[in-house]
């Protein structure tokens, strides 16, 4: 089953974004540090490039991503022209200063009370954009939560007298074509629960974990090297058996085991995990 995700207001939001870009000096793009490629919107990158606007890429949720992989992503983005990248966490108040400084560096001709830096902030739903806005303003302006796309229209926010932010709705693809990307987004709780199949998302997650985080996987579920060398379907089965998640007739409850694996990943019970590396591109 492929991951389907069609929030209706996205086309309108894209047009509005293009219109607003003209009145802003730079674009702040928020992605999830655990999957920076799948959580960016390729359509938006084309618009930014076309308009030639400076671009600040924020790898948010770095507090739960694998720090070694996040460093590799920062190195990767440092090769892009007109772009700066930062690893941040909306949970860390100290990040406000670093974000502002990066914006001032990208737009050196602005940054005073007469000519404030004007930044437009974008990101697909659930990457933590609202949480970052709240961090920047140090008050609760943007609603945060697990319901994707809570920002319905653009709003201008005065962060400081030298820094103004335009918030945008959480833009998303019309359809996620790549099954792996869709399932990584699902595993990472970025797309709505009705849009994916938990067992399939857990299978994609296990495919990644057994290659990149084999030791962590074995420790968490008491598996041996032979067991994690099996196809992921069999690993889920093993985990269900070990955890006594059984249906009638002692059949392993694969769905229950899949949900447990997803929750364990989301709550860092397996470790600090990143699903994508820059050389996967
Ligand atoms: P959005 O505007 O991009 O849609 O995202 P939002 O800020 O609503 O954040 C989505 C979820 O991600 C929230 O979790 C939020 O707390 C969490 N989050 C945001 N930034 C970070 C971060 O830097 N690190 C971590 N670990 N989590 C982050 P939630 O479960 O919906 O709410 P909550 O109870 O955790 O606040």
């Amino acid at each position: 089953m492929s991951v389907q995700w069609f929030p209706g207001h996205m086309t309108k939001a894209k047009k509005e974004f293009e219109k607003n870009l003209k009145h802003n000096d730079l674009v702040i793009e928020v992605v999830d540090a655990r999957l920076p490629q799948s959580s960016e919107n390729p359509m938006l990158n084309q618009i930014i490039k076309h308009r030639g606007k400076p671009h600040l890429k924020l790898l948010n949720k770095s507090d739960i991503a694998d720090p070694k992989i996040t460093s590799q992503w920062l190195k990767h983005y440092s090769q892009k022209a007109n772009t700066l990248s930062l690893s941040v966490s909306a949970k860390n108040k100290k990040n406000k200063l670093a974000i502002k400084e990066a914006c001032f560096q990208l737009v050196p001709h602005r940054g005073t009370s007469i000519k404030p830096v004007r930044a437009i902030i974008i990101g697909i739903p659930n990457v933590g954009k609202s949480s970052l806005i709240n961090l920047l303003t140090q008050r609760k302006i943007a609603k945060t939560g697990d319901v994707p796309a809570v920002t319905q229209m653009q709003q201008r926010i005065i962060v400081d007298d030298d820094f103004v932010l335009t918030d945008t709705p959480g833009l998303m693809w019309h359809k996620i074509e790549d099954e792996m990307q869709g399932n990584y987004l699902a595993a990472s709780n970025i797309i709505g629960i009705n849009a994916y199949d938990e067992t399939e998302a857990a299978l994609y997650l296990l495919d990644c974990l057994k290659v990149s985080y084999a030791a962590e996987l074995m420790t968490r579920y008491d598996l041996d090297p032979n067991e994690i060398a099996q196809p992921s379907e069999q690993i889920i089965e093993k985990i269900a058996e070990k955890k006594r998640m059984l249906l009638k007739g002692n059949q392993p409850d694969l769905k229950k085991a899949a949900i447990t694996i997803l929750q364990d990943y989301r709550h860092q019970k397996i470790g600090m995990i990143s699903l994508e590396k820059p050389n996967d591109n």
Side-chain angles (χ1 to χ4, degrees), residues 130-149:
S130 312
S131 305
L132 279 171
I133 293 171
N134 291 336
L135 173 96
L136 286 168
T137 55
Q138 290 168 336
R139 55 193 189 270
K140 214 168 170 75
I141 285 198
K143 271 192 250 163
T144 66
D146 248 351
V147 183

Side-chain angles (χ1 to χ4, degrees), residues 87-99:
S87 86
V88 294
S89 164
K91 311 262 173 194
N92 182 352
K93 288 197 175 119
K94 288 188 187 149
N95 286 152
K96 172 176 176 171
L97 192 62
I99 295 170

Side-chain angles (χ1 to χ4, degrees), residues 256-275:
K256 196 166 176 188
I259 293 170
T260 300
I261 297 163
L262 293 176
Q263 293 297 355
D264 285 352
Y265 158 65
R266 290 168 184 165
H267 296 116
Q268 301 83 57
K269 296 277 167 55
I270 306 173
M272 306 277 274
I273 307 286
S274 291
L275 301 181

Side-chain angles (χ1 to χ4, degrees), residues 198-215:
E198 282 123 334
T199 309
E200 197 170 317
L203 286 172
Y204 274 92
L205 177 61
L206 283 174
D207 285 348
C208 168
L209 295 179
K210 66 188 192 187
V211 174
S212 303
Y213 298 96

Side-chain angles (χ1 to χ4, degrees), residues 30 32 34 59-65 88-92 95 122-134 140 142-151 167-168 170 188-190 266-268:
V30 186
D32 186 317
R34 296 169 298 172
L59 279 72
N60 189 39
K61 305 193 189 179
S62 62
D63 56 306
I64 55 173
V88 294
S89 164
K91 311 262 173 194
N92 182 352
N95 286 152
I122 60 168
I124 64 169
N126 255 351
V127 290
K129 180 168 64 72
S130 312
S131 305
L132 279 171
I133 293 171
N134 291 336
K140 214 168 170 75
K143 271 192 250 163
T144 66
D146 248 351
V147 183
V150 287
T151 317
D167 187 16
T168 60
S188 306
N189 216 12
I190 289 181
R266 290 168 184 165
H267 296 116
Q268 301 83 57

Side-chain angles (χ1 to χ4, degrees), residues 1-274:
M1 190 186 116
S2 66
V3 176
Q4 304 286 328
W5 186 244
F6 299 96
H9 58 274
M10 293 308 175
T11 311
K12 193 169 154 239
K14 182 188 163 213
K15 281 197 186 125
E16 248 185 76
F17 172 74
E18 279 183 297
K19 201 172 78 192
N20 267 283
L21 196 54
K22 281 191 235 141
H23 310 294
N24 281 280
D25 307 307
L26 84 148
V27 178
I28 301 178
E29 184 194 14
V30 186
V31 295
D32 186 317
R34 296 169 298 172
L35 57 165
Q37 197 186 357
S38 293
S39 61
E40 69 177 27
N41 189 317
M43 174 188 77
L44 287 176
N45 269 328
Q46 284 164 13
I47 302 171
I48 297 170
K49 246 190 223 152
H50 176 65
R51 296 267 176 198
K53 294 280 178 182
H55 183 184
L56 174 61
K57 193 134 191 155
L58 296 182
L59 279 72
N60 189 39
K61 305 193 189 179
S62 62
D63 56 306
I64 55 173
D66 181 336
K68 282 199 301 289
I69 308 294
T70 303
S71 301
Q72 291 175 18
W73 277 109
L74 293 176
K75 199 167 163 212
H76 169 79
Y77 292 126
S78 72
Q79 288 150 17
K80 292 191 187 281
N82 219 11
T83 302
L84 283 179
S85 62
L86 284 179
S87 86
V88 294
S89 164
K91 311 262 173 194
N92 182 352
K93 288 197 175 119
K94 288 188 187 149
N95 286 152
K96 172 176 176 171
L97 192 62
I99 295 170
K100 270 188 76 178
E101 275 174 359
C103 291
F104 290 171
Q105 202 180 322
L106 281 165
V107 193
H109 58 287
R110 298 193 68 102
T112 62
S113 54
I114 298 164
K115 280 183 158 191
V117 165
R118 298 161 303 177
I120 187 163
I121 187 162
I122 60 168
I124 64 169
N126 255 351
V127 290
K129 180 168 64 72
S130 312
S131 305
L132 279 171
I133 293 171
N134 291 336
L135 173 96
L136 286 168
T137 55
Q138 290 168 336
R139 55 193 189 270
K140 214 168 170 75
I141 285 198
K143 271 192 250 163
T144 66
D146 248 351
V147 183
V150 287
T151 317
Q152 295 292 335
M153 42 180 217
Q154 307 205 337
Q155 54 172 327
R156 208 164 159 79
I157 302 158
I158 298 169
V159 174
D160 292 314
D161 62 355
D162 55 0
F163 190 69
V164 179
L165 206 56
T166 300
D167 187 16
T168 60
L171 294 181
M172 193 68 157
W173 298 259
H174 289 287
K175 185 176 176 195
I176 303 168
E177 302 284 353
D178 184 310
E179 278 204 27
M180 189 167 79
Q181 279 194 343
N183 281 291
Y184 279 0
L185 289 165
S188 306
N189 216 12
I190 289 181
I191 55 176
I193 181 81
N194 296 325
Y196 64 91
D197 176 82
E198 282 123 334
T199 309
E200 197 170 317
L203 286 172
Y204 274 92
L205 177 61
L206 283 174
D207 285 348
C208 168
L209 295 179
K210 66 188 192 187
V211 174
S212 303
Y213 298 96
E216 290 86 343
L217 187 60
M218 288 192 288
T219 305
R220 177 70 193 169
Y221 300 110
D222 190 23
L223 298 165
D224 64 34
N226 277 338
E227 287 168 329
I228 67 156
Q230 303 303 313
S232 294
E233 287 84 352
Q234 285 177 34
I235 302 180
I236 297 197
E237 227 175 284
K238 239 322 140 243
I239 293 172
E241 283 164 10
K242 285 189 190 245
K243 289 192 167 288
R244 305 291 302 154
M245 292 172 170
L246 302 172
L247 296 165
K248 271 191 201 147
N250 275 351
Q251 288 302 307
D253 188 340
L254 301 183
K255 183 158 180 172
K256 196 166 176 188
I259 293 170
T260 300
I261 297 163
L262 293 176
Q263 293 297 355
D264 285 352
Y265 158 65
R266 290 168 184 165
H267 296 116
Q268 301 83 57
K269 296 277 167 55
I270 306 173
M272 306 277 274
I273 307 286
S274 291

